[in-house]
Amino acid sequence: MTSPLTSPRSSAADITARAAALDAADPLRGLRERFLTPDEVVAYLDGNSLGRPLRETPRRVSDFVRDAWGGRLIRGWDEQWMDAPTRVGDRLAEVALGAAAGQTFIGDSTSVLLYKLIRAAIAARPGRREIVVDRDNFPTDRFLVEGIAAECGLDIRWVPSAADAGVRPQDLAPLLGPDTAVVVLSHVAYRSGFLADAAAITAQVHDAGGLMLWDLCHSVGVVSTELDRWSVDLAVGCTYKYLNGGPGSPAFGYVRADLQEELRQPLQGWMGAADPFDMAESYRPAPGIRRFLTGTPSILAMQPMLGMIELIAQAGIPAVRAKSVTLTEFALDLVDEQLVPSGVRLASPRDADRRGSHVTVDHPAFRAVTQRLWDRGVIPDFRPPDGLRIGLSPLSTSFAEVAAGIGAVATALRELG
């Protein structure tokens, strides 16, 4: 494949020059300086697993510890922390989810939120006995569905999908019917980067009478998302990838406004009660989205994501998505030129409309290659059996990093013979 970004006979100098030109023309280039990057890192190509911290994050966390926590102590709950899960959720919804206020909250881990919302969806569709999920979904999603199905005596309908693609409406159609309770899919496939047609699939599921739950972990903050316009029922996503919240930062959940009174979440905790400090004898859910909270929210762990949400707001999701497409197209061209001749196979969609912000390539030597690259300051990640993921976070990744990283992959492959 030949494109204006590279040519079949590009020298290393040519590629470096093209990367420099793309970086110079990047309207978001100034934002890269807002991130911390160790000197020994040559190319960070794993932002789809763990985003870099913002330079402001150490100060933000330190200020919170000193002033909000250390200064206000327990008074902080009354003054600002009680509504933090919904306040931050509303801002995230506005900036990155295409959702009106009152439908999004910051809560537990992705796994716990998936459990809560899948169970709530099943209970809201009594008599329906099937959960639909694809075989190549992220392990957490599949494992949770397996456990919930066993717990509730339900059946699983497995959607077949190729590891280098994802679920399309035609793949799903034969599995939907009057027994469909809930469908659980990833908006962007964790392995291939395939971007699902969320609007069409959601409409399909609704036509069958089921509820649709989208896992947004690999799309939030980097792909245009319109949860309200698509009439999505439920969604869950993490905040440590493209939202740069840090290791183990809390996840977010979305429940469409008209479903909130209908759904009953299974983990009834005091923070989701109508009056947490009433210490009532029995549980009475809070009105609206707050009822989906369970235990005490991690206020400290929310701090790092706040700056990134505002940085995405400053850039605008359309500009972030545009750079993501250009980055992945540049990466694909370099893969074709530098890696395919060594037996590497592309395992991601070529169509930008069906691709998220990472590219996966396969080769039997990639497990060994990955360790060699990490030792040299080039950091992609490996996904069994033989996939190398090149994750490109648009606000922090330069075209020069992409060129250096893929060049290092080519070098390591040659060394390993």
Side-chain angles (χ1 to χ4, degrees), residues 47-339:
N48 61 314
S49 289
L50 180 65
R52 293 165 166 154
L54 288 166
R55 290 185 182 276
E56 70 173 59
T57 297
R59 175 190 54 77
R60 181 183 288 273
V61 173
S62 176
D63 288 351
F64 178 85
V65 171
R66 183 186 63 247
D67 301 329
W69 175 12
R72 304 311 298 159
L73 297 172
I74 195 67
R75 294 172 293 183
W77 284 109
D78 291 320
E79 295 168 353
Q80 56 180 308
W81 299 339
M82 283 297 291
D83 70 344
T86 53
R87 184 179 68 249
V88 177
D90 283 347
R91 182 57 173 157
L92 175 62
E94 176 187 10
V95 169
L97 300 180
Q103 302 176 103
T104 307
F105 64 100
I106 309 298
D108 314 280
S109 69
T110 306
S111 300
V112 172
L113 293 186
L114 281 168
Y115 178 85
K116 290 201 288 191
L117 296 189
I118 293 171
R119 281 296 310 269
I122 290 167
R125 291 294 182 268
R128 290 178 172 247
R129 303 195 50 77
E130 295 178 351
I131 309 173
V132 181
V133 66
D134 61 302
R135 288 197 178 277
D136 203 52
N137 210 326
F138 191 76
T140 285
D141 303 59
R142 292 184 283 106
F143 296 167
L144 279 165
V145 166
E146 288 177 333
I148 291 169
E151 187 177 59
C152 299
L154 302 179
D155 298 320
I156 303 173
R157 299 297 301 274
W158 293 99
V159 187
S161 62
D164 58 355
V167 178
R168 304 164 300 172
Q170 59 265 39
D171 301 320
L172 192 60
L175 303 177
L176 300 177
D179 273 335
T180 303
V182 60
V183 176
V184 180
L185 298 175
S186 288
H187 190 201
V188 169
Y190 86 99
R191 188 190 302 275
S192 69
F194 179 88
L195 174 60
D197 188 340
I201 288 175
T202 300
Q204 252 187 320
V205 174
H206 288 170
D207 287 345
L211 293 173
M212 182 70 226
L213 190 157
W214 285 105
D215 180 332
L216 306 179
C217 286
H218 283 88
S219 60
V220 62
V222 75
V223 171
S224 298
T225 304
E226 298 289 343
L227 297 184
D228 285 355
R229 186 168 64 83
W230 298 338
S231 297
V232 166
D233 302 307
L234 306 161
V236 171
C238 67
T239 63
Y240 47 78
K241 301 181 190 297
Y242 299 115
L243 297 180
N244 303 66
S249 57
F252 65 89
Y254 165 92
V255 181
R256 203 177 68 227
D258 62 303
L259 288 173
Q260 291 172 13
E261 300 300 316
E262 175 185 353
L263 299 184
R264 178 175 177 174
Q265 72 115 325
L267 300 181
Q268 298 178 172
W270 80 302
M271 275 289 174
D275 187 348
F277 294 103
D278 193 36
M279 305 302 173
E281 263 186 46
S282 58
Y283 177 80
R284 182 166 59 90
I289 194 66
R290 190 173 185 90
R291 67 179 55 203
F292 295 95
L293 295 177
T294 299
T296 304
S298 184
I299 304 300
L300 178 58
M302 288 184 204
Q303 301 310 306
M305 76 177 76
L306 301 179
M308 189 61 185
I309 292 172
E310 295 310 316
L311 193 63
I312 293 171
Q314 178 184 335
I317 285 289
V320 174
R321 174 60 177 161
K323 182 176 177 188
S324 168
V325 169
T326 307
L327 278 168
T328 52
E329 286 180 345
F330 185 49
L332 288 177
D333 288 332
L334 296 179
V335 165
D336 285 337
E337 182 178 346
Q338 297 185 292
L339 303 185

Side-chain angles (χ1 to χ4, degrees), residues 368-388:
V369 163
T370 301
Q371 186 57 60
R372 187 166 293 207
L373 293 172
W374 280 32
D375 292 341
R376 297 172 181 179
V378 174
I379 309 176
D381 75 345
F382 176 75
R383 284 292 178 263
D386 53 12
L388 189 79

